[in-house]
């Protein structure tokens, strides 16, 4: 049994006390089971089989790359994740990815999501954070706007130009901060409360916009006005330590990290 006979004796004594029943008769040759012990043995063996089955199924769930994985991401990243899902499903067809694309930050410590792709540092020390890449922001505009108004020269001289800005909810993003510092002489024609709204306005020709390189270059209606980097944000992958070894979470996490690092080398993020 892998323990001292005295330990076995103490455990039998504790069990008999808990059941208020004598299970063994102590004899010079050892312990002999009583009728009560013989009567309970089949039930005890049934409990043992159930305990082993619970452990086996629990281990199997953690080791199988199947089931639901909830991924929360920074705004604009949902489309990028969707683009990768074809390859991920080819590798693991029994995975179901739920994308939580929202401005609010889902709490991984409270199990609101399994994996997070974040552009802000995590303040929860118990979470595991992996830095993936630095995302660059540049100025973009539509062909129609550039044909009508031309590009600013130099690019930070926005005097007389129309710009698409950000509302207070996005005042912290690099594009909003750069415009706050350099756009005093510009005409703000629209403020968006989402990156999608700002991209759509710029693509419609309403004005210049400072946008994440990887998002703006996905839209064929936009082109970079200048090569200068106007801001950066660091993209990180965050996971709870209890989930990083669960197969469905681990394979999804590793796949997304590899995709981002691959596309960083390709220049997708600027």
């Amino acid at each position: 049994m892998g323990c001292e006979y005295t330990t076995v004796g103490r455990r039998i004594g504790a069990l008999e006390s808990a059941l208020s029943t004598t299970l063994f008769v102590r004899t010079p040759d050892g312990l002999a089971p009583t009728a009560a012990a013989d009567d309970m043995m089949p039930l005890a063996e049934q409990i043992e089989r159930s305990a082993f089955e619970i452990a086996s199924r629990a281990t199997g769930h953690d080791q199988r790359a199947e089931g639901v994985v909830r991924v929360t991401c920074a705004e604009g990243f949902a489309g990028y994740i969707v683009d990768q899902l074809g390859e991920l499903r080819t590798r693991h067809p029994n995975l179901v990815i739920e994308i939580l694309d929202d401005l609010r930050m889902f709490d991984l410590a409270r199990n609101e999501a399994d994996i997070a792709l974040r552009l802000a540092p995590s303040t929860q020390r118990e979470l595991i954070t992996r830095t993936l890449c630095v995302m660059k922001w540049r100025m973009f505009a539509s062909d129609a706007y550039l044909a009508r108004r031309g590009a600013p020269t130099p690019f930070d001289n926005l005097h007389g130009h129309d710009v698409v800005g950000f509302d207070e909810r996005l005042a912290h993003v690099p594009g909003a901060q750069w415009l706050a510092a350099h756009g005093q002489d510009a005409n703000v024609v629209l403020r968006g409360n989402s990156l999608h709204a700002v991209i759509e306005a710029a693509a419609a020709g309403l004005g210049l916009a400072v946008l994440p390189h990887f998002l703006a270059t996905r839209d064929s209606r936009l082109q970079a006005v200048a090569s200068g980097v106007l801001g950066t944000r660091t993209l990180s992958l965050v996971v709870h330590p209890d989930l990083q070894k669960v197969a469905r979470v681990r394979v999804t996490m590793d796949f997304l990290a590899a995709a981002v690092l691959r596309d960083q080398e390709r220049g997708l993020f600027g």
Side-chain angles (χ1 to χ4, degrees):
M1 294 181 65
C3 59
E4 296 291 336
Y5 74 92
T6 53
T7 301
V8 176
R10 285 197 303 271
R11 292 177 179 173
I12 290 176
L15 181 58
E16 290 179 325
S17 177
L19 296 175
S20 300
T21 302
T22 300
L23 298 175
F24 293 93
V25 176
R26 280 70 176 170
T27 73
D29 296 325
L31 300 180
T34 64
D38 288 335
D39 186 44
M40 295 178 192
M41 182 63 71
L43 295 176
E45 291 174 341
Q46 181 179 329
I47 291 172
E48 182 183 38
R49 287 193 297 270
S50 297
F52 279 128
E53 181 67 17
I54 290 172
S56 176
R57 292 192 182 188
T59 301
H61 276 291
D62 279 0
Q63 293 178 349
R64 291 194 297 267
E66 60 183 40
V68 176
V69 180
R70 298 161 300 163
V71 181
T72 176
C73 58
E75 188 202 359
F77 246 88
Y80 176 81
I81 295 174
V82 170
D83 286 347
Q84 316 303 319
L85 290 186
E87 183 180 349
L88 180 60
R89 281 193 52 78
T90 298
R91 297 184 189 181
H92 305 285
N94 294 321
L95 278 179
V96 178
I97 306 299
E98 291 184 357
I99 299 177
L100 309 175
D101 183 11
D102 200 302
L103 283 177
R104 84 176 181 90
M105 189 174 290
F106 288 85
D107 192 341
L108 271 63
R110 294 182 178 273
N111 197 35
E112 293 180 349
D114 301 315
I115 300 170
L117 288 172
R118 288 182 176 166
L119 296 173
S122 176
T123 58
Q124 295 171 294
R125 294 184 178 180
E126 68 272 23
L127 301 179
I128 296 174
T129 300
R130 178 181 178 184
T131 300
L132 297 181
C133 70
V134 174
M135 301 172 55
K136 299 175 182 178
W137 289 55
R138 292 188 168 92
M139 185 182 295
F140 290 85
S142 69
D143 289 336
Y145 180 85
L146 294 175
R148 185 173 74 250
R149 302 294 301 275
T153 306
F155 68 85
D156 58 351
N157 180 11
L158 300 183
H159 179 75
H161 273 279
D162 297 333
V163 299
V164 179
F166 303 84
D167 80 349
E168 293 181 358
R169 293 178 65 192
L170 294 178
H172 61 284
V173 304
Q177 293 176 345
W178 191 88
L179 288 174
H182 300 88
Q184 294 86 351
D185 296 330
N187 304 314
V188 179
V189 298
L190 181 144
R191 290 188 177 90
N193 68 350
S194 70
L195 289 175
H196 178 73
V198 174
I199 288 174
E200 286 298 317
L206 294 185
L208 305 166
V210 180
L211 297 165
H213 179 94
F214 94 98
L215 272 183
T217 54
R218 287 166 59 90
D219 194 319
S220 60
R221 299 172 296 173
L222 293 172
Q223 63 171 290
V225 173
S227 60
V229 176
L230 308 185
T232 62
R233 296 191 82 180
T234 300
L235 177 66
S236 298
L237 187 148
V238 187
V239 66
H240 194 283
D242 289 345
L243 290 180
Q244 67 169 340
K245 294 181 180 179
V246 176
R248 68 181 185 279
V249 175
R250 184 181 66 253
V251 298
T252 305
M253 176 179 65
D254 291 346
F255 176 84
L256 291 175
V260 170
L261 295 176
R262 176 196 65 209
D263 288 335
Q264 180 190 28
E265 293 180 357
R266 295 174 178 176
L268 177 64
F269 299 104

